[in-house]
Amino acid sequence: MIEFRKEFFANERDDNLNEIGKPTRRQDILGHVTGRSPYFDDHLFEGLLHIRCVRSPHHHARIRRIDISAAEKMPGVVRVLLGKDVPRNLNTLLSLLDFGLDDEPVLSETKVAYKGEPVAAIVAESEAQARAAVLAVKVEYEALPHVLDVEDAVKPGAPVVCGIYPTNKFIYHGKFDHQKLRYGDVEEAFSRADHIVEGRYQMSPIEQAPMETCGAIAAPEINDRYVCFTSTQGLFFSLGTAAKLLTMPSSRLHFVGGTVGGGFGGKVDSMHEPLAILGAMLTGRPCKYAWDREEEMQVGAPRGAERWYIKDGVARDGRILARKFTGYFDSGAYTRLSSYAIIKGVGHLPGPYTIPNVYADVFCVYTNRTPATAMRGFGITGVDFAIEAHMDKVAEAVGLNPIELRILNSYRDGDMKAHRRTAKNCALVECCQVVAEKGGVALSPASRAATSLIDGGGERGRLPARTATDQNGAVSGYRGGSYGKKGGGASAMQPIRMPTPTDAARAPQRPAAPAYQPPAASPPSAPPPAPAMETPRHGALRFSSLSGFRRR
């Protein structure tokens, strides 16, 4: 059953955009239901070789010696690959966008930083022979102290996880060890709040668990080229990474993506393609490198764990006067996409609420866990959970219905967000009203009359006068953005006003919502801009949706 609420924001709707509710056929549905959709593993080659990796049993250890002599003599073994065989054995995905430093080896040579990190790769005639040879490789390790908790990792004297970042914190723009946001003066607002509400929120790593595990098949082509069939979600990311690590022009690489058997973010920064291509280069034969289910679960990069501390200063009537965030994002042993997740997260604060004083410090932290990567809205999902759990805690502290608390504090059109952007096309108030209606939650007349279209802007759309400035007088705020003007001059934001029932008349463009009626039967349905960043690189400026303007 699909219900359309066309009475909301009718002046902003375009009813030509009406695909929802129609039985529109997906382009790939016939291939899926007939079993003809081509996946990377459907491309079979005569003489195909198989690659399996030797993996560290330690969270953190120094590699003293790798003995491959016995493995090289095993039946079916064609080649044993070590870090020295990789032309450029250090990478980080976002370096393709001039963001971050190369920190992760394809095959580790001197140290391992997480359990399961690969130190050698066997290329053999069959998968069974490759697995047997993996067991024959002898690696001498010197176990090192390890750290698995983000706050322990940033304490003085903690084990150094990633030598590129000796403080166990990612460094932004070559000098900042965190992302920050400053808006208004939270300490002053805390001093006049009627309630102080604090909370700690922890999210665990989550494996994407696609039905098709990560993998790639590479084979020599004519003209000194190589074809690579891959399950990657980011075909050009994977192409650029392979060209970089193998130090060859991308024109020599023919990448074929096709159907992905589930990814959810976990196949964005796959490292299977470079190793499969390297095997094909060194043996002259097609090579397949794919994880089994155990590897997918153990060393597949998960959604990163997050820890958030939130402190609110709240007025007696439920208005949030100030919100302070301290966040730790667990990157695992290497950077992958975690540094970007924090940019997304800080750009999203303080959630969909107009709060006149906001403070945030968020850290990308290295631990001896499996490196983290993307998963379905990463950077936003975890902090949204923390924010909304905290809103329920605030509602309990002030004795308000949690839905009415959200309506009271929600963005209205024209409000200024804490990262210096004007709120527009807001709809949280209306969403809350519909949720209350469907859930049978009684709202006060003022909450029922509230709308996102009025009471925004004005003083609520100006930069608070007490917003901190840096030593040069510029507004101190979100790293990487030059938001706002020089400090001072703007008056303090007005208190957030709860609408009265008469306010509905002030928004004639939005017709009053009729009483809810169950929808008639309908046909069955068919199956962030990130803030800008500075990069001190040479060359011409080019815009990137990830890091803002960057240099070629």
Side-chain angles (χ1 to χ4, degrees), residues 88 90-93 95-96 100-104 164-165 244:
R88 181 172 175 173
L90 208 59
N91 180 63
T92 192
L93 178 69
S95 66
L96 296 175
L101 303 175
D102 290 332
D103 61 0
E104 182 174 5
I164 302 295
Y165 300 104
K244 170 187 171 181

Side-chain angles (χ1 to χ4, degrees), residues 240-411:
T241 296
K244 170 187 171 181
L245 292 173
L246 302 175
T247 62
M248 64 168 59
S250 58
S251 58
R252 288 182 57 197
L253 298 173
H254 175 197
F255 269 52
V256 182
T259 309
V260 177
F264 322 113
K267 293 178 180 175
V268 171
D269 54 0
S270 165
M271 292 292 288
H272 292 74
E273 300 84 7
L275 207 52
I277 297 168
L278 180 62
M281 291 172 60
L282 297 179
T283 64
R285 292 171 58 179
C287 289
K288 174 183 174 180
Y289 176 37
W291 283 339
D292 59 22
R293 180 57 57 186
E294 181 179 358
E295 286 175 308
E296 182 74 49
M297 298 300 292
Q298 178 193 1
V299 299
R303 179 201 296 279
E306 298 175 49
R307 181 174 300 160
W308 291 92
Y309 292 93
I310 303 179
K311 178 180 179 181
D312 279 2
V314 189
R316 187 172 292 104
D317 64 357
R319 291 175 292 118
I320 301 174
L321 306 178
R323 175 166 286 176
K324 183 175 183 178
F325 294 89
T326 304
Y328 301 93
F329 198 101
D330 191 341
S331 181
Y334 300 109
T335 305
R336 299 285 179 96
L337 289 168
S338 296
S339 54
Y340 170 45
I342 286 160
I343 292 175
K344 291 174 62 183
V346 178
H348 179 65
L349 302 180
Y353 305 107
T354 296
I355 301 175
N357 303 281
V358 181
Y359 177 111
D361 284 340
V362 187
F363 301 84
C364 175
V365 181
Y366 298 96
T367 66
N368 293 113
R369 293 182 179 271
T370 304
T373 191
M375 183 183 179
R376 290 190 167 184
F378 72 118
I380 304 298
T381 314
V383 71
D384 263 352
F385 163 78
I387 289 169
E388 296 308 323
H390 196 71
M391 290 295 286
D392 289 344
K393 194 170 184 177
V394 170
E396 183 177 358
V398 300
L400 268 182
N401 179 306
I403 298 178
E404 293 200 330
L405 177 76
R406 287 168 169 83
I407 291 174
L408 173 63
N409 289 284
S410 294
Y411 281 140

Side-chain angles (χ1 to χ4, degrees), residues 44-64:
L44 302 181
F45 292 86
E46 184 177 353
L48 180 68
L49 300 176
H50 297 263
I51 299 176
R52 303 293 305 175
C53 282
V54 180
R55 301 187 178 278
S56 165
H58 301 283
H59 291 294
H60 197 199
R62 186 169 289 109
I63 300 172
R64 290 299 189 186

Side-chain angles (χ1 to χ4, degrees), residues 2 49 117 126 192 205 288 346 431 436 438 463 476 494 518:
I2 296 178
L49 300 176
E117 183 165 357
S126 71
R192 56 185 170 86
K288 174 183 174 180
V346 178
C431 288
K438 289 184 175 295
L463 181 69
S476 176
Q494 290 180 338

Side-chain angles (χ1 to χ4, degrees), residues 52 73 114 123 135 159 202 216 261 266 299 362 379 394 523 549:
R52 303 293 305 175
K73 299 172 184 176
Y114 67 96
V123 185
L135 299 177
Q202 176 71 47
V299 299
V362 187
V394 170
F549 285 102

